[in-house]
Amino acid sequence: EQARHLQQLLRELRGDTAPLAAEVGAHVHFCVHVGPVEVRGEGAELEVLGGPVTDLATWLARATGGLHLTPNAIQLLGSPVSD
């Protein structure tokens, strides 16, 4: 259920951003990952300091359809997301 909801939200977000990106000749891709992160603060004051989730080179993937879940995200949500 969470994976279907996430997939719908990603499609809506992509639909909202794609026309703006097209105006400047860009393409929008989303990659969802789950991992540890170091933070400071709370709520609106939350600041990401670092941690494995911020090391994009270790998990970022470009899906041909523009939507992708990493294996960590699939493990948490239980279902892959595809465009």
Side-chain angles (χ1 to χ4, degrees), residues 42-53:
E42 294 182 18
E45 301 297 318
L46 190 67
E47 178 184 3
V48 175
L49 302 176
V53 79

Side-chain angles (χ1 to χ4, degrees), residues 2-47:
Q2 284 180 319
R4 279 194 297 271
H5 182 64
L6 176 61
Q7 185 173 11
Q8 182 60 37
L9 289 174
L10 287 171
R11 284 195 171 129
E12 290 174 15
L13 184 57
R14 188 161 177 242
D16 290 345
T17 59
L20 297 171
E23 289 179 15
V24 295
H27 300 278
V28 177
H29 296 268
F30 292 100
C31 181
V32 177
H33 179 64
V34 175
V37 65
E38 297 171 23
V39 296
R40 172 175 52 202
E42 294 182 18
E45 301 297 318
L46 190 67
E47 178 184 3

